[in-house]
Amino acid sequence: TGVEGILTEVCGGVKLYPNPVSSSFTLEAPMIIGEVKILTIDGQLVKVVKDINETKATINVDELPQGMYLINTLGVVEIMIKH
């Protein structure tokens, strides 16, 4: 569908890439990322990464099954597709 290699930038300047994701994704933000929450599309919390304390973070999601997830950080919610 032409979505390979998309760089997603959302409100607040938070960037998530690559999306779709296979094993990990990178988040970049204009401010320090303290915590990242990953939720299923229906809102079930499946992973929390704490104490990042950087403006750029690589998050491993190897353990997650294929599907659509919500990424919540810095008050911004982004959709991630895991394949």
Side-chain angles (χ1 to χ4, degrees):
T1 60
V3 295
E4 293 294 326
I6 292 175
L7 170 69
T8 305
E9 183 168 354
V10 293
C11 297
V14 177
K15 297 177 184 176
L16 182 151
Y17 59 89
N19 197 4
V21 173
S22 55
S23 61
S24 66
F25 65 90
T26 299
L27 280 175
E28 287 186 36
M31 61 187 76
I32 298 291
I33 301 167
E35 177 178 275
V36 175
K37 293 180 182 177
I38 303 176
L39 303 96
T40 60
I41 204 72
D42 61 357
Q44 179 183 356
L45 184 65
V46 292
K47 183 170 185 167
V48 177
V49 181
K50 295 184 177 186
D51 301 321
I52 296 169
N53 299 324
E54 301 285 340
T55 58
K56 183 176 180 180
T58 299
I59 310 295
N60 186 316
V61 289
D62 258 344
E63 75 278 10
L64 299 179
Q66 289 185 352
M68 226 178 226
Y69 294 88
L70 301 174
I71 309 302
N72 184 334
T73 189
L74 299 173
V76 174
V77 176
E78 174 58 82
I79 294 174
M80 174 195 73
I81 300 169
K82 169 98 168 37
H83 67 118

